Structures are given as structure tokens and as C-alpha cells.
């Protein structure tokens, strides 16, 4: 997937926690929490769902919600899968990225996504929060306060996608100490390298905060937030911001 930068065997390349693509982590009741806390890298390739059941068209949330996913890494978090929770998905790094991470604290590939449905017992809404020391590269789909339903044909092609929004206000917040890049580079069918954008949606509030920019060949580009032309940032509620 575009944006992926881990080795063929991340388990032998400094990953504190490696979730294989054949694995699935889930909790099957409301008010539950999945916490992954690693001193170095988190490499996530298997689906993670807190407080819901995954079906053919998406996740069905259980009870009143209140379930969360907490992802904490010392250096870097790679999300190459779907990470979902009924209330909140939170990503945090506690130290600078490792020497082989190119200053990147969080990568969300084109195959990756972060979803917080915004279902709570107290109406607080929850959301998706990413707060990291280094750069963020996000080329996937990030959603706060909604549920995506998808329909596929017999060949596995996506034919329809709809978002059902929560009645509770939710927030998508991305904060990078370095550069916040709402996209990634990928290789096109003709072999050329092109920049693509991710999709960022919330029903009420989106906050994007970049930091010091990114150094290329010894020079800082001075760009705190980098938004490709193909990136999409959108809120749903009439009074949203």
C-alpha cells in the first residue's frame, strides 16, 4: 500500500508490537478498551475493532458504545489496516522516531484507516486524536463521528459507499511536532512516482496542526501542513468547523 515503509519482516526490524495481516484484535462489548503500548514501533496490518462486530458491509457497534483504541509507541506507528472503535481512537508517540524512520512518527497507508463512530453513553461524541512528536503521513481514510457502509459486486469491486453520521459531535484532531502530510507518494501504473491525498472526515470538528516542517537534503521546507490536491477534508454538520 502507498505510504507503507516497513521491511518485509517488521518483527525483525525493531517493532515492539507486530499485528500480522492474518490477525484480528477485537472486543465484543461496550465500554471496552484495546491498548497497544510499545517502547519502539507498532506495526499494524491486522484489523483492530473495539466494541463492535465486523460484517460484510462494515462494523456493527454494540450497546451504547464507549469503546476505545489506544495506540502508544516510543518511536513510530504504522497503520496498514482498519482501526475502529465506537467512541475514540487515540494515537500517541512518546519520543523521537528511530534512525530509520525518516522523522515519521505515524504513517497511515492507503490501505489503512482510523474510525471513531461517535457512540457514547454520555453524549460526549469522542473522536480520532493523533498527537505525535515527529511527522505524520496519512494517505488513508480517517473518520470521526460516523460509520461507513460499503457494497461490493461479485468481483470484489466497490459499488457504493455511504456514511451514517452520529447525532453526537465528534472531533478529528491531527497534531504533528514535525510535518503533517495529508497524503503520501505512490507509484502509478506507468511507473512514475506521484503524490496522492487521504480522506479526512468528521461530523463536527477537524483540527489540523503541523509543526517544524520537514528537512530535505539539509534544508527545512518550512511546511507545517502539507495538503496534496487530491486530499479531501470535510465536515458534515451544518454548524461544524
Amino acid at each position: 500500500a502507498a505510504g507503507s515503509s516497513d521491511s518485509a519482516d517488521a518483527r525483525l526490524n525493531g517493532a515492539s508490537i507486530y499485528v500480522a495481516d492474518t490477525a484480528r484484535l477485537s472486543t465484543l462489548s461496550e465500554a471496552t478498551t484495546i491498548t497497544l503500548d510499545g517502547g519502539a514501533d507498532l506495526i499494524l496490518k491486522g484489523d483492530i475493532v473495539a466494541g463492535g462486530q465486523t460484517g460484510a458491509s462494515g462494523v456493527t457497534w454494540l450497546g451504547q458504545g464507549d469503546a476505545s483504541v489506544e495506540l502508544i509507541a516510543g518511536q513510530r506507528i504504522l497503520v496498514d489496516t482498519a482501526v475502529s472503535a465506537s467512541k475514540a481512537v487515540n494515537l500517541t508517540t512518546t519520543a523521537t522516531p528511530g534512525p530509520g524512520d525518516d522523522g515519521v512518527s505515524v504513517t497511515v497507508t492507503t490501505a489503512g484507516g482510523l474510525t471513531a463512530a461517535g457512540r457514547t453513553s454520555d453524549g460526549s461524541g469522542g473522536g480520532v486524536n493523533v498527537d505525535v512528536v515527529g511527522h505524520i503521513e496519512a494517505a488513508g481514510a480517517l473518520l470521526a463521528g460516523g460509520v461507513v457502509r460499503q457494497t461490493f459486486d461479485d468481483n470484489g469491486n466497490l459499488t457504493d459507499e455511504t456514511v451514517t453520521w452520529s447525532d453526537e459531535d465528534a472531533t478529528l484532531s491531527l497534531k504533528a511536532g514535525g510535518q503533517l502530510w495529508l497524503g503520501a507518494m505512490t507509484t502509478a501504473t506507468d511507473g512514475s512516482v506521484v503524490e496522492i491525498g487521504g480522506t479526512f472526515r468528521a461530523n463536527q470538528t477537524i483540527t489540523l496542526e503541523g509543526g517544524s516542517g520537514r528537512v530535505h537534503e539539509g534544508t527545512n521546507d518550512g511546511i507545517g501542513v502539507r495538503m496534496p490536491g487530491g486530499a479531501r477534508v470535510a465536515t458534515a454538520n451544518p454548524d461544524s468547523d
Side-chain angles (χ1 to χ4, degrees):
S4 179
S5 60
D6 62 313
S7 69
D9 191 349
R11 292 166 291 183
L12 303 179
N13 194 32
S16 297
I17 299 176
Y18 178 84
V19 181
D21 56 7
T22 54
R24 174 172 292 168
L25 303 180
S26 62
T27 57
L28 299 177
S29 59
E30 62 184 358
T32 52
T33 303
I34 296 174
T35 301
L36 301 181
D37 189 342
D41 294 353
L42 306 184
I43 307 297
L44 311 178
K45 292 179 172 292
D47 289 353
I48 299 174
V49 180
Q53 292 181 315
T54 303
S57 61
V59 178
T60 299
W61 301 108
L62 304 174
Q64 291 184 294
D66 293 328
S68 299
V69 174
E70 303 287 339
L71 303 178
I72 306 162
Q75 296 179 348
R76 180 177 70 124
I77 303 171
L78 171 68
V79 180
D80 195 29
T81 187
V83 178
S84 308
S86 54
K87 178 179 181 179
V89 175
N90 300 313
L91 282 67
T92 308
T93 61
T94 58
T96 57
D101 296 333
D102 193 26
V104 178
S105 290
V106 165
T107 300
V108 183
T109 72
T110 52
L114 306 173
T115 298
R119 291 173 57 94
T120 69
S121 58
D122 61 2
S124 58
V128 174
N129 180 68
V130 182
D131 188 348
V132 299
V133 175
H135 309 310
I136 296 173
E137 296 181 351
L142 282 66
L143 173 65
V147 177
V148 174
R149 301 295 182 193
Q150 296 178 325
T151 303
F152 299 87
D153 62 21
D154 293 339
N155 296 319
N157 299 311
L158 180 67
T159 58
D160 184 58
E161 178 179 281
T162 59
V163 178
T164 301
W165 296 105
S166 171
D167 293 332
E168 305 175 35
D169 292 346
T171 297
L172 170 60
S173 176
L174 306 179
K175 181 179 180 180
Q179 183 180 85
L180 171 55
W181 186 7
L182 305 180
M185 304 303 294
T186 190
T187 302
T189 54
D190 62 1
S192 61
V193 178
V194 297
E195 184 179 35
I196 57 173
T199 299
F200 308 86
R201 294 176 288 188
N203 64 352
Q204 183 61 28
T205 301
I206 295 178
T207 301
L208 306 175
E209 182 177 343
S212 60
R214 194 161 186 170
V215 175
H216 301 277
E217 299 180 350
T219 301
N220 193 307
D221 61 14
I223 301 173
V225 178
R226 177 175 173 177
M227 182 174 176
R232 178 187 177 193
V233 178
T235 55
N237 293 344
D239 62 344
S240 59
D241 53 12

